[in-house]
mmCIF file of all heavy atoms in Angstrom:
data_model
loop_
_atom_site.group_PDB
_atom_site.id
_atom_site.type_symbol
_atom_site.label_atom_id
_atom_site.label_comp_id
_atom_site.label_asym_id
_atom_site.label_seq_id
_atom_site.Cartn_x
_atom_site.Cartn_y
_atom_site.Cartn_z
ATOM 1 N N LEU B 294 43.906 6.253 82.048
ATOM 2 C CA LEU B 294 43.830 7.184 83.184
ATOM 3 C C LEU B 294 44.370 6.516 84.454
ATOM 4 O O LEU B 294 45.109 7.124 85.236
ATOM 5 C CB LEU B 294 42.384 7.630 83.402
ATOM 6 C CG LEU B 294 41.858 8.696 82.427
ATOM 7 C CD1 LEU B 294 40.366 8.916 82.644
ATOM 8 C CD2 LEU B 294 42.610 10.012 82.650
ATOM 9 N N GLN B 295 43.942 5.242 84.592
ATOM 10 C CA GLN B 295 44.393 4.484 85.767
ATOM 11 C C GLN B 295 45.930 4.356 85.773
ATOM 12 O O GLN B 295 46.576 4.548 86.798
ATOM 13 C CB GLN B 295 43.745 3.105 85.737
ATOM 14 C CG GLN B 295 43.861 2.353 87.038
ATOM 15 C CD GLN B 295 43.181 0.985 86.943
ATOM 16 O OE1 GLN B 295 42.374 0.752 86.053
ATOM 17 N NE2 GLN B 295 43.520 0.112 87.848
ATOM 18 N N ALA B 296 46.478 4.056 84.565
ATOM 19 C CA ALA B 296 47.935 3.909 84.448
ATOM 20 C C ALA B 296 48.634 5.226 84.769
ATOM 21 O O ALA B 296 49.667 5.243 85.460
ATOM 22 C CB ALA B 296 48.278 3.448 83.035
ATOM 23 N N ILE B 297 48.013 6.314 84.257
ATOM 24 C CA ILE B 297 48.611 7.627 84.518
ATOM 25 C C ILE B 297 48.606 7.910 86.026
ATOM 26 O O ILE B 297 49.598 8.362 86.597
ATOM 27 C CB ILE B 297 47.851 8.719 83.743
ATOM 28 C CG1 ILE B 297 48.170 8.599 82.248
ATOM 29 C CG2 ILE B 297 48.223 10.117 84.241
ATOM 30 C CD1 ILE B 297 47.258 9.406 81.358
ATOM 31 N N ASN B 298 47.462 7.608 86.643
ATOM 32 C CA ASN B 298 47.351 7.855 88.089
ATOM 33 C C ASN B 298 48.373 7.020 88.869
ATOM 34 O O ASN B 298 49.033 7.511 89.789
ATOM 35 C CB ASN B 298 45.947 7.533 88.584
ATOM 36 C CG ASN B 298 44.931 8.539 88.068
ATOM 37 O OD1 ASN B 298 45.299 9.660 87.742
ATOM 38 N ND2 ASN B 298 43.674 8.140 87.971
ATOM 39 N N GLU B 299 48.448 5.731 88.454
ATOM 40 C CA GLU B 299 49.396 4.849 89.147
ATOM 41 C C GLU B 299 50.828 5.342 88.960
ATOM 42 O O GLU B 299 51.631 5.368 89.897
ATOM 43 C CB GLU B 299 49.257 3.428 88.617
ATOM 44 C CG GLU B 299 48.030 2.722 89.180
ATOM 45 C CD GLU B 299 47.835 1.344 88.560
ATOM 46 O OE1 GLU B 299 48.668 0.933 87.727
ATOM 47 O OE2 GLU B 299 46.840 0.697 88.902
ATOM 48 N N ALA B 300 51.133 5.730 87.692
ATOM 49 C CA ALA B 300 52.481 6.222 87.387
ATOM 50 C C ALA B 300 52.775 7.489 88.190
ATOM 51 O O ALA B 300 53.883 7.684 88.714
ATOM 52 C CB ALA B 300 52.605 6.494 85.898
ATOM 53 N N SER B 301 51.754 8.311 88.296
ATOM 54 C CA SER B 301 51.891 9.571 89.026
ATOM 55 C C SER B 301 52.181 9.295 90.513
ATOM 56 O O SER B 301 53.078 9.897 91.121
ATOM 57 C CB SER B 301 50.576 10.317 88.846
ATOM 58 O OG SER B 301 50.724 11.611 89.068
ATOM 59 N N ALA B 302 51.396 8.320 91.055
ATOM 60 C CA ALA B 302 51.594 7.969 92.460
ATOM 61 C C ALA B 302 52.988 7.375 92.681
ATOM 62 O O ALA B 302 53.686 7.710 93.658
ATOM 63 C CB ALA B 302 50.523 6.968 92.878
ATOM 64 N N ALA B 303 53.385 6.508 91.722
ATOM 65 C CA ALA B 303 54.717 5.884 91.827
ATOM 66 C C ALA B 303 55.798 6.942 91.762
ATOM 67 O O ALA B 303 56.783 6.899 92.531
ATOM 68 C CB ALA B 303 54.873 4.863 90.699
ATOM 69 N N ALA B 304 55.572 7.892 90.838
ATOM 70 C CA ALA B 304 56.563 8.970 90.698
ATOM 71 C C ALA B 304 56.655 9.773 91.979
ATOM 72 O O ALA B 304 57.762 10.128 92.425
ATOM 73 C CB ALA B 304 56.158 9.864 89.523
ATOM 74 N N ASP B 305 55.471 10.023 92.598
ATOM 75 C CA ASP B 305 55.473 10.773 93.868
ATOM 76 C C ASP B 305 56.250 10.007 94.939
ATOM 77 O O ASP B 305 57.015 10.596 95.705
ATOM 78 C CB ASP B 305 54.036 11.018 94.339
ATOM 79 C CG ASP B 305 53.355 12.075 93.485
ATOM 80 O OD1 ASP B 305 54.090 12.799 92.759
ATOM 81 O OD2 ASP B 305 52.103 12.179 93.526
ATOM 82 N N ARG B 306 55.948 8.667 94.932
ATOM 83 C CA ARG B 306 56.633 7.836 95.928
ATOM 84 C C ARG B 306 58.154 7.876 95.731
ATOM 85 O O ARG B 306 58.925 8.059 96.659
ATOM 86 C CB ARG B 306 56.143 6.398 95.832
ATOM 87 C CG ARG B 306 54.865 6.125 96.630
ATOM 88 C CD ARG B 306 54.670 4.636 96.865
ATOM 89 N NE ARG B 306 54.723 3.847 95.658
ATOM 90 C CZ ARG B 306 53.684 3.641 94.854
ATOM 91 N NH1 ARG B 306 52.505 4.186 95.144
ATOM 92 N NH2 ARG B 306 53.803 2.918 93.769
ATOM 93 N N VAL B 307 58.552 7.719 94.472
ATOM 94 C CA VAL B 307 59.982 7.710 94.147
ATOM 95 C C VAL B 307 60.614 9.046 94.503
ATOM 96 O O VAL B 307 61.699 9.117 95.074
ATOM 97 C CB VAL B 307 60.182 7.367 92.658
ATOM 98 C CG1 VAL B 307 61.624 7.587 92.230
ATOM 99 C CG2 VAL B 307 59.786 5.916 92.390
ATOM 100 N N ARG B 308 59.851 10.105 94.152
ATOM 101 C CA ARG B 308 60.377 11.442 94.430
ATOM 102 C C ARG B 308 60.578 11.634 95.948
ATOM 103 O O ARG B 308 61.624 12.112 96.399
ATOM 104 C CB ARG B 308 59.419 12.498 93.893
ATOM 105 C CG ARG B 308 60.029 13.890 93.852
ATOM 106 C CD ARG B 308 59.014 14.898 93.382
ATOM 107 N NE ARG B 308 57.878 14.934 94.290
ATOM 108 C CZ ARG B 308 56.653 15.313 93.954
ATOM 109 N NH1 ARG B 308 56.399 15.662 92.712
ATOM 110 N NH2 ARG B 308 55.676 15.328 94.829
ATOM 111 N N ALA B 309 59.554 11.209 96.717
ATOM 112 C CA ALA B 309 59.640 11.356 98.172
ATOM 113 C C ALA B 309 60.811 10.556 98.730
ATOM 114 O O ALA B 309 61.573 11.040 99.588
ATOM 115 C CB ALA B 309 58.334 10.895 98.795
ATOM 116 N N GLN B 310 60.918 9.307 98.158
ATOM 117 C CA GLN B 310 62.010 8.446 98.624
ATOM 118 C C GLN B 310 63.371 9.077 98.323
ATOM 119 O O GLN B 310 64.269 9.103 99.158
ATOM 120 C CB GLN B 310 61.874 7.079 97.945
ATOM 121 C CG GLN B 310 62.797 6.023 98.518
ATOM 122 C CD GLN B 310 62.609 4.682 97.779
ATOM 123 O OE1 GLN B 310 61.656 4.514 97.029
ATOM 124 N NE2 GLN B 310 63.523 3.768 98.035
ATOM 125 N N MET B 311 63.450 9.580 97.059
ATOM 126 C CA MET B 311 64.710 10.199 96.647
ATOM 127 C C MET B 311 65.017 11.433 97.473
ATOM 128 O O MET B 311 66.167 11.690 97.843
ATOM 129 C CB MET B 311 64.655 10.561 95.153
ATOM 130 C CG MET B 311 64.802 9.333 94.255
ATOM 131 S SD MET B 311 64.600 9.744 92.532
ATOM 132 C CE MET B 311 66.175 10.512 92.207
ATOM 133 N N GLU B 312 63.954 12.191 97.768
ATOM 134 C CA GLU B 312 64.134 13.398 98.592
ATOM 135 C C GLU B 312 64.660 13.018 99.987
ATOM 136 O O GLU B 312 65.587 13.647 100.519
ATOM 137 C CB GLU B 312 62.814 14.156 98.725
ATOM 138 C CG GLU B 312 62.549 15.090 97.557
ATOM 139 C CD GLU B 312 61.211 15.802 97.688
ATOM 140 O OE1 GLU B 312 60.537 15.642 98.739
ATOM 141 O OE2 GLU B 312 60.837 16.503 96.755
ATOM 142 N N ALA B 313 64.024 11.947 100.531
ATOM 143 C CA ALA B 313 64.433 11.504 101.871
ATOM 144 C C ALA B 313 65.888 11.051 101.879
ATOM 145 O O ALA B 313 66.681 11.420 102.762
ATOM 146 C CB ALA B 313 63.512 10.366 102.314
#
Side-chain angles (χ1 to χ4, degrees):
Chain B
L294 282 173
Q295 194 180 342
I297 288 167
N298 290 336
E299 283 175 2
S301 201
D305 287 344
R306 275 198 307 275
V307 170
R308 193 183 61 205
Q310 190 180 348
M311 285 175 76
E312 276 178 5

